[in-house]
Short mmCIF file of all heavy atoms in Angstrom, two decimals:
data_model
loop_
_atom_site.label_atom_id
_atom_site.label_comp_id
_atom_site.label_asym_id
_atom_site.label_seq_id
_atom_site.Cartn_x
_atom_site.Cartn_y
_atom_site.Cartn_z
N LEU A 735 21.87 -17.29 127.98
CA LEU A 735 23.32 -17.11 127.98
C LEU A 735 23.64 -15.83 127.21
O LEU A 735 23.28 -15.71 126.04
CB LEU A 735 24.02 -18.31 127.35
CG LEU A 735 25.55 -18.28 127.39
CD1 LEU A 735 26.05 -18.29 128.83
CD2 LEU A 735 26.14 -19.45 126.61
N LEU A 736 24.30 -14.88 127.87
CA LEU A 736 24.68 -13.61 127.27
C LEU A 736 26.15 -13.70 126.85
O LEU A 736 27.00 -14.05 127.66
CB LEU A 736 24.49 -12.46 128.26
CG LEU A 736 23.12 -12.38 128.95
CD1 LEU A 736 23.11 -11.24 129.97
CD2 LEU A 736 22.02 -12.19 127.92
N LEU A 737 26.43 -13.38 125.60
CA LEU A 737 27.79 -13.50 125.07
C LEU A 737 28.23 -12.16 124.50
O LEU A 737 27.66 -11.67 123.53
CB LEU A 737 27.84 -14.58 123.98
CG LEU A 737 27.39 -15.97 124.41
CD1 LEU A 737 26.03 -16.30 123.79
CD2 LEU A 737 28.40 -17.03 124.00
N ASP A 738 29.25 -11.57 125.14
CA ASP A 738 29.73 -10.24 124.76
C ASP A 738 30.98 -10.36 123.90
O ASP A 738 32.09 -10.50 124.41
CB ASP A 738 30.02 -9.42 126.01
CG ASP A 738 30.37 -7.97 125.68
OD1 ASP A 738 30.18 -7.57 124.51
OD2 ASP A 738 30.83 -7.25 126.59
N GLU A 739 30.82 -10.33 122.57
CA GLU A 739 31.92 -10.44 121.62
C GLU A 739 32.87 -11.58 122.00
O GLU A 739 34.09 -11.39 122.11
CB GLU A 739 32.71 -9.11 121.56
CG GLU A 739 31.85 -7.91 121.23
CD GLU A 739 32.04 -7.42 119.80
OE1 GLU A 739 32.53 -8.19 118.98
OE2 GLU A 739 31.67 -6.27 119.55
N PRO A 740 32.36 -12.79 122.23
CA PRO A 740 33.20 -13.85 122.79
C PRO A 740 34.28 -14.37 121.84
O PRO A 740 35.21 -15.04 122.28
CB PRO A 740 32.19 -14.96 123.09
CG PRO A 740 31.11 -14.75 122.09
CD PRO A 740 31.00 -13.26 121.94
N LEU A 741 34.18 -14.07 120.55
CA LEU A 741 35.15 -14.60 119.58
C LEU A 741 36.15 -13.54 119.11
O LEU A 741 37.01 -13.84 118.29
CB LEU A 741 34.41 -15.18 118.36
CG LEU A 741 33.30 -16.19 118.66
CD1 LEU A 741 32.70 -16.71 117.36
CD2 LEU A 741 33.80 -17.33 119.53
N ALA A 742 36.04 -12.34 119.64
CA ALA A 742 36.84 -11.22 119.11
C ALA A 742 38.34 -11.42 119.29
O ALA A 742 39.13 -10.92 118.49
CB ALA A 742 36.40 -9.92 119.77
N ALA A 743 38.76 -12.14 120.34
CA ALA A 743 40.19 -12.30 120.61
C ALA A 743 40.81 -13.47 119.85
O ALA A 743 42.02 -13.69 119.96
CB ALA A 743 40.41 -12.50 122.12
N LEU A 744 40.02 -14.20 119.08
CA LEU A 744 40.53 -15.37 118.37
C LEU A 744 40.94 -15.01 116.95
O LEU A 744 40.43 -14.05 116.36
CB LEU A 744 39.45 -16.46 118.33
CG LEU A 744 38.86 -16.89 119.67
CD1 LEU A 744 37.79 -17.95 119.45
CD2 LEU A 744 39.94 -17.40 120.61
N ASP A 745 41.87 -15.80 116.38
CA ASP A 745 42.24 -15.57 114.99
C ASP A 745 41.11 -16.02 114.07
O ASP A 745 40.17 -16.70 114.49
CB ASP A 745 43.55 -16.27 114.64
CG ASP A 745 43.47 -17.79 114.77
OD1 ASP A 745 42.60 -18.40 114.12
OD2 ASP A 745 44.27 -18.37 115.52
N GLN A 746 41.20 -15.62 112.80
CA GLN A 746 40.09 -15.81 111.87
C GLN A 746 39.69 -17.28 111.72
O GLN A 746 38.51 -17.62 111.72
CB GLN A 746 40.45 -15.21 110.50
CG GLN A 746 39.31 -15.16 109.51
CD GLN A 746 38.17 -14.25 109.94
OE1 GLN A 746 38.39 -13.30 110.68
NE2 GLN A 746 36.95 -14.54 109.51
N LYS A 747 40.68 -18.16 111.58
CA LYS A 747 40.39 -19.58 111.40
C LYS A 747 39.67 -20.15 112.62
O LYS A 747 38.68 -20.87 112.51
CB LYS A 747 41.67 -20.35 111.13
CG LYS A 747 41.47 -21.85 110.88
CD LYS A 747 42.78 -22.51 110.51
CE LYS A 747 42.58 -24.00 110.20
NZ LYS A 747 42.16 -24.76 111.38
N LEU A 748 40.19 -19.80 113.81
CA LEU A 748 39.59 -20.31 115.04
C LEU A 748 38.20 -19.73 115.26
O LEU A 748 37.30 -20.40 115.78
CB LEU A 748 40.51 -20.00 116.22
CG LEU A 748 40.19 -20.69 117.55
CD1 LEU A 748 40.06 -22.20 117.37
CD2 LEU A 748 41.26 -20.36 118.57
N ARG A 749 38.01 -18.48 114.86
CA ARG A 749 36.68 -17.87 114.99
C ARG A 749 35.65 -18.64 114.18
O ARG A 749 34.54 -18.88 114.64
CB ARG A 749 36.72 -16.41 114.52
CG ARG A 749 37.41 -15.49 115.48
CD ARG A 749 37.54 -14.09 114.94
NE ARG A 749 36.29 -13.36 115.02
CZ ARG A 749 36.19 -12.05 114.86
NH1 ARG A 749 37.26 -11.34 114.61
NH2 ARG A 749 35.02 -11.47 114.94
N ARG A 750 36.03 -19.03 112.96
CA ARG A 750 35.10 -19.77 112.13
C ARG A 750 34.78 -21.13 112.74
O ARG A 750 33.64 -21.59 112.69
CB ARG A 750 35.69 -19.93 110.73
CG ARG A 750 35.67 -18.63 109.94
CD ARG A 750 36.29 -18.78 108.58
NE ARG A 750 36.19 -17.53 107.82
CZ ARG A 750 36.86 -17.26 106.72
NH1 ARG A 750 37.71 -18.16 106.24
NH2 ARG A 750 36.70 -16.12 106.09
N GLU A 751 35.80 -21.78 113.31
CA GLU A 751 35.56 -23.07 113.96
C GLU A 751 34.65 -22.90 115.17
O GLU A 751 33.75 -23.72 115.41
CB GLU A 751 36.90 -23.69 114.39
CG GLU A 751 37.78 -24.11 113.23
CD GLU A 751 39.15 -24.56 113.68
OE1 GLU A 751 39.44 -24.49 114.90
OE2 GLU A 751 39.95 -24.96 112.82
N MET A 752 34.87 -21.83 115.95
CA MET A 752 34.07 -21.61 117.15
C MET A 752 32.64 -21.22 116.82
O MET A 752 31.73 -21.47 117.62
CB MET A 752 34.72 -20.54 118.03
CG MET A 752 35.93 -21.03 118.82
SD MET A 752 35.56 -22.45 119.90
CE MET A 752 34.35 -21.72 121.01
N ARG A 753 32.40 -20.61 115.66
CA ARG A 753 31.02 -20.32 115.26
C ARG A 753 30.22 -21.62 115.16
O ARG A 753 29.08 -21.71 115.63
CB ARG A 753 31.00 -19.62 113.91
CG ARG A 753 31.43 -18.18 113.94
CD ARG A 753 31.43 -17.63 112.52
NE ARG A 753 32.29 -16.45 112.42
CZ ARG A 753 32.77 -15.98 111.30
NH1 ARG A 753 32.51 -16.60 110.15
NH2 ARG A 753 33.53 -14.90 111.28
N VAL A 754 30.82 -22.61 114.52
CA VAL A 754 30.16 -23.91 114.39
C VAL A 754 29.90 -24.50 115.76
O VAL A 754 28.82 -25.04 116.04
CB VAL A 754 31.01 -24.86 113.53
CG1 VAL A 754 30.38 -26.24 113.47
CG2 VAL A 754 31.20 -24.30 112.13
N GLU A 755 30.90 -24.39 116.66
CA GLU A 755 30.75 -24.95 118.00
C GLU A 755 29.67 -24.22 118.80
O GLU A 755 28.90 -24.84 119.54
CB GLU A 755 32.09 -24.87 118.75
CG GLU A 755 33.12 -25.87 118.26
CD GLU A 755 32.60 -27.30 118.43
OE1 GLU A 755 32.23 -27.68 119.53
OE2 GLU A 755 32.56 -28.02 117.41
N LEU A 756 29.61 -22.90 118.66
CA LEU A 756 28.58 -22.13 119.38
C LEU A 756 27.18 -22.55 118.95
O LEU A 756 26.29 -22.72 119.78
CB LEU A 756 28.78 -20.64 119.15
CG LEU A 756 29.73 -19.89 120.07
CD1 LEU A 756 29.83 -18.43 119.65
CD2 LEU A 756 29.28 -19.99 121.53
N LYS A 757 26.99 -22.69 117.65
CA LYS A 757 25.67 -23.09 117.15
C LYS A 757 25.31 -24.50 117.61
O LYS A 757 24.18 -24.77 118.02
CB LYS A 757 25.64 -23.00 115.63
CG LYS A 757 24.25 -23.08 115.03
CD LYS A 757 23.38 -21.91 115.44
CE LYS A 757 22.02 -21.95 114.80
NZ LYS A 757 21.16 -20.83 115.22
N ARG A 758 26.30 -25.40 117.55
CA ARG A 758 26.06 -26.77 118.02
C ARG A 758 25.71 -26.77 119.51
O ARG A 758 24.78 -27.45 119.94
CB ARG A 758 27.32 -27.61 117.79
CG ARG A 758 27.19 -29.06 118.29
CD ARG A 758 28.52 -29.77 118.28
NE ARG A 758 29.48 -29.17 119.20
CZ ARG A 758 29.48 -29.39 120.50
NH1 ARG A 758 28.56 -30.18 121.07
NH2 ARG A 758 30.38 -28.82 121.28
N LEU A 759 26.45 -25.98 120.28
CA LEU A 759 26.22 -25.92 121.72
C LEU A 759 24.85 -25.36 122.05
O LEU A 759 24.14 -25.87 122.93
CB LEU A 759 27.32 -25.07 122.36
CG LEU A 759 27.38 -25.02 123.87
CD1 LEU A 759 27.60 -26.41 124.45
CD2 LEU A 759 28.49 -24.08 124.33
N GLN A 760 24.45 -24.29 121.32
CA GLN A 760 23.14 -23.70 121.59
C GLN A 760 22.02 -24.69 121.31
O GLN A 760 21.05 -24.79 122.07
CB GLN A 760 22.98 -22.44 120.73
CG GLN A 760 21.77 -21.59 121.09
CD GLN A 760 20.55 -21.90 120.24
OE1 GLN A 760 20.69 -22.35 119.10
NE2 GLN A 760 19.37 -21.67 120.78
N ARG A 761 22.15 -25.45 120.24
CA ARG A 761 21.13 -26.46 119.94
C ARG A 761 21.13 -27.58 120.96
O ARG A 761 20.08 -28.13 121.31
CB ARG A 761 21.37 -27.02 118.54
CG ARG A 761 21.02 -26.04 117.42
CD ARG A 761 21.45 -26.55 116.06
NE ARG A 761 21.02 -25.66 114.99
CZ ARG A 761 21.45 -25.73 113.76
NH1 ARG A 761 22.34 -26.65 113.41
NH2 ARG A 761 21.01 -24.88 112.84
N ALA A 762 22.34 -27.92 121.46
CA ALA A 762 22.44 -29.02 122.41
C ALA A 762 21.82 -28.67 123.76
O ALA A 762 21.11 -29.49 124.36
CB ALA A 762 23.90 -29.41 122.61
N VAL A 763 22.06 -27.44 124.25
CA VAL A 763 21.53 -27.07 125.57
C VAL A 763 20.11 -26.53 125.48
O VAL A 763 19.37 -26.55 126.46
CB VAL A 763 22.46 -26.05 126.27
CG1 VAL A 763 23.82 -26.66 126.52
CG2 VAL A 763 22.59 -24.76 125.47
N GLY A 764 19.71 -26.02 124.30
CA GLY A 764 18.32 -25.63 124.08
C GLY A 764 17.88 -24.36 124.75
O GLY A 764 16.68 -24.11 124.87
N ILE A 765 18.84 -23.51 125.20
CA ILE A 765 18.46 -22.25 125.85
C ILE A 765 18.68 -21.10 124.87
O ILE A 765 19.31 -21.26 123.82
CB ILE A 765 19.25 -22.00 127.14
CG1 ILE A 765 20.75 -21.85 126.84
CG2 ILE A 765 18.99 -23.11 128.14
CD1 ILE A 765 21.58 -21.46 128.05
N SER A 766 18.18 -19.93 125.23
CA SER A 766 18.37 -18.75 124.40
C SER A 766 19.79 -18.23 124.56
O SER A 766 20.31 -18.12 125.67
CB SER A 766 17.38 -17.66 124.79
OG SER A 766 16.05 -18.10 124.62
N PHE A 767 20.42 -17.91 123.42
CA PHE A 767 21.72 -17.23 123.42
C PHE A 767 21.47 -15.81 122.92
O PHE A 767 20.85 -15.61 121.88
CB PHE A 767 22.70 -17.91 122.47
CG PHE A 767 23.40 -19.12 123.02
CD1 PHE A 767 22.83 -19.90 124.02
CD2 PHE A 767 24.64 -19.50 122.52
CE1 PHE A 767 23.48 -21.02 124.51
CE2 PHE A 767 25.29 -20.62 123.00
CZ PHE A 767 24.72 -21.39 124.00
N LEU A 768 21.98 -14.82 123.67
CA LEU A 768 21.94 -13.42 123.23
C LEU A 768 23.38 -13.00 123.00
O LEU A 768 24.17 -12.89 123.93
CB LEU A 768 21.27 -12.53 124.27
CG LEU A 768 21.08 -11.06 123.88
CD1 LEU A 768 20.29 -10.93 122.59
CD2 LEU A 768 20.40 -10.28 124.99
N PHE A 769 23.71 -12.76 121.74
CA PHE A 769 25.09 -12.66 121.27
C PHE A 769 25.36 -11.25 120.77
O PHE A 769 24.65 -10.76 119.89
CB PHE A 769 25.26 -13.69 120.15
CG PHE A 769 26.63 -13.80 119.54
CD1 PHE A 769 27.61 -14.54 120.16
CD2 PHE A 769 26.92 -13.19 118.33
CE1 PHE A 769 28.86 -14.68 119.58
CE2 PHE A 769 28.17 -13.31 117.75
CZ PHE A 769 29.14 -14.07 118.38
N VAL A 770 26.37 -10.59 121.33
CA VAL A 770 26.75 -9.24 120.91
C VAL A 770 27.94 -9.33 119.99
O VAL A 770 28.95 -9.98 120.31
CB VAL A 770 27.09 -8.37 122.13
CG1 VAL A 770 27.90 -7.15 121.72
CG2 VAL A 770 25.82 -7.92 122.84
N THR A 771 27.86 -8.69 118.82
CA THR A 771 28.97 -8.70 117.88
C THR A 771 28.91 -7.49 116.96
O THR A 771 27.84 -6.94 116.72
CB THR A 771 28.96 -10.00 117.04
OG1 THR A 771 30.09 -10.01 116.17
CG2 THR A 771 27.69 -10.11 116.19
N HIS A 772 30.09 -7.10 116.47
CA HIS A 772 30.15 -6.08 115.40
C HIS A 772 30.42 -6.75 114.07
O HIS A 772 30.47 -6.07 113.04
CB HIS A 772 31.27 -5.07 115.70
CG HIS A 772 32.64 -5.67 115.67
ND1 HIS A 772 33.22 -6.27 116.76
CD2 HIS A 772 33.54 -5.80 114.66
CE1 HIS A 772 34.40 -6.73 116.44
NE2 HIS A 772 34.63 -6.45 115.16
N ASP A 773 30.57 -8.07 114.08
CA ASP A 773 30.94 -8.83 112.89
C ASP A 773 29.68 -9.34 112.20
O ASP A 773 29.01 -10.24 112.70
CB ASP A 773 31.85 -10.00 113.30
CG ASP A 773 32.44 -10.73 112.10
OD1 ASP A 773 31.70 -11.00 111.14
OD2 ASP A 773 33.64 -11.05 112.14
N GLN A 774 29.37 -8.77 111.05
CA GLN A 774 28.14 -9.14 110.35
C GLN A 774 28.15 -10.59 109.91
O GLN A 774 27.10 -11.26 109.91
CB GLN A 774 27.92 -8.22 109.15
CG GLN A 774 29.08 -8.22 108.18
CD GLN A 774 28.81 -7.34 106.99
OE1 GLN A 774 28.11 -7.73 106.08
NE2 GLN A 774 29.37 -6.14 107.00
N GLU A 775 29.32 -11.12 109.53
CA GLU A 775 29.40 -12.52 109.11
C GLU A 775 29.04 -13.45 110.25
O GLU A 775 28.33 -14.44 110.07
CB GLU A 775 30.79 -12.84 108.58
CG GLU A 775 30.91 -14.23 107.97
CD GLU A 775 32.28 -14.51 107.38
OE1 GLU A 775 32.97 -13.54 106.98
OE2 GLU A 775 32.67 -15.69 107.32
N GLU A 776 29.53 -13.13 111.46
CA GLU A 776 29.16 -13.93 112.63
C GLU A 776 27.66 -13.91 112.85
O GLU A 776 27.03 -14.94 113.07
CB GLU A 776 29.87 -13.38 113.88
CG GLU A 776 31.31 -13.77 114.00
CD GLU A 776 31.95 -13.25 115.27
OE1 GLU A 776 31.27 -12.58 116.07
OE2 GLU A 776 33.14 -13.50 115.45
N ALA A 777 27.08 -12.71 112.81
CA ALA A 777 25.65 -12.59 113.06
C ALA A 777 24.83 -13.34 112.02
O ALA A 777 23.87 -14.05 112.35
CB ALA A 777 25.25 -11.12 113.10
N LEU A 778 25.18 -13.18 110.75
CA LEU A 778 24.42 -13.85 109.69
C LEU A 778 24.57 -15.37 109.77
O LEU A 778 23.63 -16.11 109.49
CB LEU A 778 24.90 -13.36 108.33
CG LEU A 778 24.57 -11.90 107.98
CD1 LEU A 778 25.29 -11.48 106.70
CD2 LEU A 778 23.08 -11.67 107.84
N THR A 779 25.75 -15.84 110.17
CA THR A 779 26.02 -17.27 110.23
C THR A 779 25.30 -17.95 111.39
O THR A 779 24.76 -19.05 111.25
CB THR A 779 27.54 -17.52 110.36
OG1 THR A 779 28.21 -16.94 109.24
CG2 THR A 779 27.85 -19.01 110.40
N LEU A 780 25.28 -17.28 112.53
CA LEU A 780 24.83 -17.93 113.77
C LEU A 780 23.36 -17.71 114.10
O LEU A 780 22.73 -18.57 114.72
CB LEU A 780 25.66 -17.40 114.95
CG LEU A 780 27.12 -17.83 115.02
CD1 LEU A 780 27.87 -17.00 116.06
CD2 LEU A 780 27.23 -19.30 115.35
N SER A 781 22.80 -16.59 113.69
CA SER A 781 21.57 -16.11 114.32
C SER A 781 20.29 -16.70 113.73
O SER A 781 20.20 -16.94 112.52
CB SER A 781 21.50 -14.58 114.20
OG SER A 781 22.66 -13.99 114.70
#
């Protein structure tokens, strides 16, 4: 699954909630996620 800055349009609170959801989803489906971001906090949190 390729994700091109998928959280960039969300507000800060929702972005943080969606980070948790993305990680949960990746573990649930068990496939590789390739995630593009300029946000270092997102990368450090998720990767």
Side-chain angles (χ1 to χ4, degrees):
L735 184 63
L736 309 177
L737 302 108
D738 186 11
E739 304 255 19
L741 309 182
L744 305 179
D745 62 57
Q746 188 64 27
K747 182 175 183 294
L748 192 52
R749 287 175 77 166
R750 287 178 177 166
E751 292 173 357
M752 284 302 298
R753 286 177 201 161
V754 176
E755 287 300 305
L756 273 178
K757 193 64 177 179
R758 178 191 65 79
L759 187 60
Q760 191 265 333
R761 287 172 176 167
V763 297
I765 63 174
S766 300
F767 277 27
L768 184 57
F769 182 82
V770 161
T771 183
H772 66 274
D773 188 315
Q774 56 178 281
E775 186 177 334
E776 281 182 1
L778 292 171
T779 301
L780 290 168
S781 307

